[in-house]
Amino acid sequence: MLKKRQIILLILVLGMVFLTYAAIAQEENTGGDIQSSVSSIWDKVKWPIIAAVSMFIFQGILYIISLFKKDRLLKTLLNKYVIFHMKDGRRYQGTMRLDTRGAEIVSEESRQRGQAPSYIFSKDQLQNEIGSYIRYLDTMNDREKQERKWELERLKNPPLSHRMVRKTRNMFIELNAAAKNAISMVWGSIKQAASPLQAQLNRMNTAAQEFGGEVTSLDDQFTEFKKESEQFLQEESYERIIERLVGTRVKIRIAGVEHANGEYMALFKDYNGKHMTFMNVRDKDNNGYRDHWDYDHEYKHDINNFNRRDDRGLRCRMIEDKEGRYFLVFENNTSYTIQVGKVRLFDPGGWERNLEFKWHVEGLSVRRLRLNPVAQHNVGPFERVRTLEHRTPRQFKKIGLDFRSFRDADVIFPRSVCTIIESAEKQQQELFSISALTDAILDRSESEEIAIQDTEGRAIHGMNLVHGYVTNVNEERIDLKSIDSSYSRRWEVESAYTHFDNTLRHKVPMHRRMIPYFANRLVTQNALVEQLRENKLQQETFSQLAYPKLVKRQLRIPLMKLLPSNNGLRLPLKVMAFTSNGANEEFRVLERFEYVHEHHMLYESVGNLRNERLAKMDILWIGAGEIYKGGYRLNIDSEQRIKNFVSQGGVVIVSGQDVKTNSRQRRGAGWIPEPLTGVEYDETDELLPTAQGRRSRVFHTPNMLNTTPDTKEIPLVKLDDMWVDPLGKWNSLAKSTEQDASALLTLPFQKGLYIVTSLKNDTERDVEINNKLMENLLHFSVKWIDNQKWKQRFLPR
């Protein structure tokens, strides 16, 4: 804009012109000498006036451009609660205001603490001193959370219009050099057209300098306008390497920002020439974005002087109780957990207690930490002889504290401190189907299991997304080539079935589908296929009528196996065997049962239940003696994991336990919802199936077991201590032959099932005898799982 003196000079010149014309209008009889003098004056001032007006217009255009020339990513933080994390570790938090020449943080919290109500950051500070712009999710209001939810959904599943706009923008950014050349040509032509004004403008500069003012040359105006236009183009960026990572999880490395350096996993949102923005920033252990701070406070031997509240909302003070003990009191006024690292007392000497961030102060809570400093005291006159001396905090002058917290956050990083070092799988939300198998993209960028969910968001047990493949194989056992070939075979099966279905249904001529006679035949054909699926005898009869003998000889598999089953695809099932206290003989026998009800069974042996993989299993086999053997073997954590596993649809099979009558140790029952008592029983190879047990066919499928004393010829089971149901809540499938105790019980619990047995599987011989019943139990469990899935799929809710 024009300076004050330039504006005054312009007004004076215009006033002189209007006064001259007014005088000419009043004196119509003025002589020709006066008219000629006025014309000469206008000739002298018209070009400077035109030049001044042109500069005024240029400055106005530059001002309008500056209103829109804010950083595209930083504009998303306007009027939002933001934390500026400086590279040297300082933090400023408040509502952000942004301008082309800098930014401002308006902080009511800072004003209440007696500090500045706002902080101004120049353009150079924004470019050189700020390490990150942080927005924590727990500081957002409901409207901002809803907006963020929409942004996250659009980022994961961008609509077609959004993708087209972004591709178009990237195309123009890629043509940045051509745009710069076009701007240079335009300004060159404007400058050439305005060159006659330069001589007049120079005269105006000379005249203005006589009045003590300055006038910017027209060349400088054109140069500034060109510079601003080119800078506006340079702020945007298009890079093919990272463009394809937008909307994916990436691993980033932060360097040059105190208390924030390290590697993080985040969802890549957007970028430009100066910044990159990420959502859901978390560290490598999935703990959230790290906030680390510390401070030293000098209280000068008076513990009452130490009462400090930091900008995070944590208040720390020191107290002494009636017994003379000293405590640090931490009052957490935030909604998140704060971890305490080191506590240091020094001057004179020094004492330190390293809590290793394992001591936590929960959100909106108060905790006390005992201070009992012990220092080494020199024993004079010896220099190397020291003894321990108990001190109190009053003997020190200063205290140092170290804190850390993890919170969910969206962060904007300058590109000078942030680098994308690794990409992860693209987020896909697809229901499990054959098409999902064939359409999965091979991505070897990260090894991580992602749960496959059904339409209601529940995890499908046994299926994971590993390296971009939907598979049931563990990460350490995966073979990409074999999985790729399996996908190819499944795609061929899907294509063959689609072609077969189109031949029978979709490619029937229109007149045959509309004429009732042919339409009834098509309906009858489909009904016949549905009826023949489960009846082997009818399948054989149908094949005899449908195919000649020559064709039947060429078919290597039955016709009806090509037709889709009511139960759909037989997914593999995972079995976790908990065998740590026994001889681990059961697991070697379990691995023999590779296929159960056409399901491929995958087995895994673990020594404890503190395993996150339990949630992805279908069956949990608890070996003999794992519940009770010389004492109760489970803890509270294991009990809760077992109950959670069953409540989510898992099946738990308990092999047996070893109870001693004279044992007084606790026989806990926290792993089951209904009480069940273990009683000592003599070893036996006989049991009596109940009526409910015979109906369940657990003793008939796939092995026929005659276990009663009248019918058995050789031992088929080996049993030991039995179970007693005091409340009658369990379903007893088999009883003992001498007393009212059960050897096999079941209990449905929420979505899952408990199966408790009395098998004695202590030795290899015992397991070989019980292997048939073990296989029957697996078949019973798998059938139960299939029935539950069928009910969830077809029965009304």
Side-chain angles (χ1 to χ4, degrees), residues 311 372 465 611:
D311 58 351
N372 188 19
L465 184 64
N611 194 323

Side-chain angles (χ1 to χ4, degrees), residues 229-280:
S229 301
E230 292 180 351
Q231 186 178 3
F232 183 72
L233 292 175
Q234 291 176 355
E235 289 183 355
E236 293 300 329
S237 174
Y238 170 65
E239 302 178 27
R240 297 182 181 179
I241 295 179
I242 64 175
E243 176 66 24
R244 64 182 183 85
L245 301 178
V246 174
T248 67
R249 295 174 62 251
V250 296
K251 180 182 289 186
I252 59 176
R253 178 181 291 122
I254 307 302
V257 182
E258 188 175 349
H259 297 327
N261 294 333
E263 295 182 355
Y264 298 90
M265 299 293 295
L267 184 64
F268 189 22
K269 181 180 178 182
D270 204 353
Y271 69 97
N272 60 11
K274 295 182 180 179
H275 299 91
M276 290 191 291
T277 177
F278 301 90
M279 302 181 73
N280 294 333

Side-chain angles (χ1 to χ4, degrees), residues 162-175:
H162 181 75
R163 294 198 300 266
M164 293 301 297
V165 170
R166 187 171 185 87
K167 289 181 181 294
T168 304
R169 183 180 65 87
N170 292 338
M171 180 184 66
F172 282 105
I173 295 175
E174 187 71 5
L175 299 176

Side-chain angles (χ1 to χ4, degrees), residues 410-423:
D410 298 341
V411 188
I412 297 178
F413 292 104
R415 300 191 65 170
S416 58
V417 303
C418 177
T419 306
I420 297 178
I421 59 176
E422 186 177 333
S423 64

Side-chain angles (χ1 to χ4, degrees), residues 471-644:
T471 177
N472 62 308
V473 184
N474 298 337
E475 165 63 23
E476 59 273 9
R477 299 171 54 191
I478 191 170
D479 184 2
L480 296 179
K481 292 184 178 180
S482 62
I483 293 178
D484 190 34
S485 61
S486 299
Y487 279 5
S488 300
R489 290 195 300 270
R490 291 182 178 181
W491 180 83
E492 293 173 357
V493 171
E494 181 186 11
S495 300
Y497 173 74
T498 303
H499 176 73
F500 177 71
D501 184 70
N502 289 335
T503 302
L504 291 179
R505 189 188 313 271
H506 301 291
K507 292 187 178 181
V508 177
M510 181 62 68
H511 71 278
R512 288 182 174 270
R513 283 183 288 174
M514 296 187 64
I515 298 177
Y517 174 74
F518 295 105
N520 293 335
R521 294 180 61 182
L522 292 175
V523 174
T524 304
Q525 178 186 4
N526 293 334
L528 178 61
V529 172
E530 292 291 337
Q531 184 179 2
L532 294 178
R533 282 179 176 172
E534 301 297 334
N535 194 314
K536 300 294 184 181
L537 180 60
Q538 292 182 1
Q539 291 176 15
E540 181 65 23
T541 304
F542 179 75
S543 63
Q544 294 287 342
L545 297 175
Y547 295 96
K549 295 183 179 180
L550 181 60
V551 176
K552 286 192 295 182
R553 292 172 185 169
Q554 296 176 353
L555 293 177
R556 296 185 177 181
I557 57 177
L559 168 67
M560 302 313 295
K561 287 188 177 181
L562 293 176
L563 299 176
S565 172
N566 284 334
N567 294 332
L569 182 63
R570 295 287 188 178
L571 300 178
L573 299 179
K574 288 186 176 182
V575 180
M576 177 178 285
F578 176 36
T579 55
S580 62
N581 300 322
N584 200 19
E585 299 292 342
E586 292 175 293
F587 184 71
R588 287 191 285 270
V589 175
L590 289 174
E591 287 184 311
R592 299 178 189 174
F593 313 130
E594 187 175 359
Y595 288 92
V596 176
H597 274 298
E598 300 181 7
H599 290 274
H600 181 49
M601 308 298 291
L602 301 174
Y603 298 92
E604 178 180 346
S605 177
V606 296
N608 60 76
L609 292 180
R610 299 173 63 181
N611 194 323
E612 299 298 335
R613 297 182 56 81
L614 177 60
K616 299 181 180 180
M617 297 293 167
D618 299 281
I619 299 174
L620 173 62
W621 183 283
I622 301 180
E626 299 298 329
I627 300 294
Y628 193 95
K629 186 174 183 179
Y632 188 62
R633 296 287 181 175
L634 301 180
N635 53 31
I636 297 177
D637 180 69
S638 300
E639 293 175 346
Q640 192 63 32
R641 288 177 184 270
I642 294 175
K643 293 177 69 174
N644 289 340

